[in-house]
């Protein structure tokens, strides 16, 4: 386990937390809890009206002035992420916690404007880029934390990330698509979350910025409602066996607020405990390769070398 030195006792009170995917499900439940625990929050969302309504709700609940700010960005668009990072950096002197939570699964093969397969773009490339762009600010505010919502579903990517098919052309071929190719793609993106967390933790050792990811369990949210009637019906059945968003957000909120993990970094958590992820998720050669590939996919220059 990587150890890291941090300063004084960690406490959420007065901290500034940036969170993606807080307009629904796990992220929304986490944002409410984190605000209730004394932090100020920046919601990064693509839906202006929804985000502002949620900001109003949380502000009203907190009884404090301007607890929540809204930043607009589509996590599938690198231009949008670059713009929002600029706004955050210009407007706020502090970012103490970054939570990469937005995520989705796409049943049909789609490319983003940047030419990247959509599930991979939203779940891994977008969070990678946002993290890199906010990293100096997190370092300036150290001790600081980066938390990424991964999934037990990463275990379905049994062969790891297929670096020879980053566009997932193979997984979306008709027969593969019928037999779960898009789900494997989603699993690869969640595996990427774990490898990214581990590699980031390693590269940030000694900076006071720590990196964690977690599995929320099976949670009743709006997840997979963008893939037609069959997917929605499947999710409706699964909801009967799922946790509430509040329960699903518990480990995320704990990672954001507990002092117990201040000296650890790079780990995967479930139910507030370190958990061993799959063998491919512990492959640090793949983590390093993923880092380099992600830099290429986001056109980040060597200025961002850690
Ligand atoms: N539900 C589960 O059982 C489960 C299990 C393991 C892991 N997870 C992970 O948990 C995270 C949250 O998912 P959830 O279950 O809470 O699903 P959800 O209710 O569908 O919430 C997803 C959030 O991500 C946002 N989002 C999606 N695509 C985006 C984009 N292109 N740009 C900006 N924001 C975008 C959504 O915004 P809109 O409101 O605008 O759609 C929403 O706020 C995901 O990373 C998912 O992989 C979920």
């Amino acid at each position: 386990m990587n150890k890291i030195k941090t300063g004084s006792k960690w406490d959420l009170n007065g901290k500034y937390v940036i969170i993606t995917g807080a307009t629904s499900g796990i992220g929304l439940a986490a944002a409410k809890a984190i605000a209730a625990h004394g932090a100020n929050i920046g919601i990064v969302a693509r839906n202006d009206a929804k985000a502002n309504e949620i900001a109003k709700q949380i502000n009203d609940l907190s009884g404090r002035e301007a607890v929540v700010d809204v930043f607009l960005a589509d996590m599938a668009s690198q231009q949008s992420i670059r713009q929002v990072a600029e706004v955050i950096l210009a407007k706020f002197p502090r970012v103490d916690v970054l939570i990469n939570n937005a995520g989705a699964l796409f049943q049909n093969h789609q490319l983003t404007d940047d030419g990247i397969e959509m599930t991979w773009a939203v779940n891994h490339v977008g969070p990678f880029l946002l993290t890199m762009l906010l990293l100096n600010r997190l370092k300036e505010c150290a001790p600081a934390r980066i938390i990424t919502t991964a999934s037990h579903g990463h275990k379905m990517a049994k062969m790891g990330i297929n670096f020879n098919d980053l566009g997932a052309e193979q997984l979306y071929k008709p027969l593969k698509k019928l037999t779960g190719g898009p789900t494997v793609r989603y699993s690869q993106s969640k595996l990427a979350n774990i490898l990214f967390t581990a590699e980031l933790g390693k590269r940030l050792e000694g900076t006071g910025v720590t990196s964690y990811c977690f599995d929320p369990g099976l949670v009743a949210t709006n997840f997979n409602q963008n893939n037609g009637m069959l997917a929605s019906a499947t999710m409706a059945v699964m909801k009967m066996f799922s946790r509430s968003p509040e329960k699903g957000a518990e480990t995320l909120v704990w990672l954001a607020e507990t002092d117990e993990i201040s000296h650890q970094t790079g780990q995967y958590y479930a139910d507030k405990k370190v958990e061993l992820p799959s063998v491919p998720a512990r492959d640090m050669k793949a983590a390093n390769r993923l880092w380099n590939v992600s830099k290429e996919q986001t056109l980040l220059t060597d200025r961002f070398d850690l």
Side-chain angles (χ1 to χ4, degrees), residues 21 23-24 26 46 50 74-75 101 150 186 190 217 219 221-222:
T23 48
S24 172
I26 297 162
R46 60 181 164 175
K50 211 166 160 185
D74 181 346
M75 292 303 289
N101 168 75
Y186 172 74
K190 293 286 120 179
V219 190
T221 64
N222 286 329

Side-chain angles (χ1 to χ4, degrees), residues 6 16 81 122 197 208 217 221 224 258 269 288-289:
T6 54
Y16 199 75
I81 294 168
V122 173
T197 297
T221 64
N224 208 9
T258 184
Y269 288 78
N288 185 53
R289 189 169 179 191

Side-chain angles (χ1 to χ4, degrees), residues 263-291:
H263 61 293
Q264 295 170 10
T265 190
Q267 305 294 314
Y268 171 71
Y269 288 78
D271 291 329
K272 303 183 188 172
K273 285 193 210 86
V274 173
E275 183 154 307
L276 207 56
S278 67
V279 173
R282 287 179 265 144
D283 178 352
M284 289 309 289
K285 266 197 186 150
N288 185 53
R289 189 169 179 191
L290 175 67
W291 186 275

Side-chain angles (χ1 to χ4, degrees), residues 178-215:
L178 271 178
T179 53
T183 310
V184 174
R185 179 42 150 191
Y186 172 74
S187 306
Q188 289 183 351
S189 73
K190 293 286 120 179
L191 169 59
N193 293 155
I194 302 173
L195 292 172
F196 170 54
T197 297
E199 185 69 17
L200 188 62
K202 195 175 96 183
R203 288 177 185 245
L204 288 175
E205 261 183 70
T207 64
V209 183
T210 44
S211 158
Y212 313 97
C213 64
F214 76 102
D215 163 30

Side-chain angles (χ1 to χ4, degrees), residues 11 33 48 57 62 68-69 84 95 139 141 144-146 161 192 199 201 205 233 245 250 254 276 295:
D11 178 3
D48 195 359
Q57 271 179 33
S62 78
V68 183
D69 304 291
V84 87
V95 178
K139 282 188 195 167
C141 298
R145 295 179 178 186
I146 299 157
I161 291 162
E199 185 69 17
E205 261 183 70
E250 272 180 10
W254 177 80
L276 207 56
K295 263 183 71 181

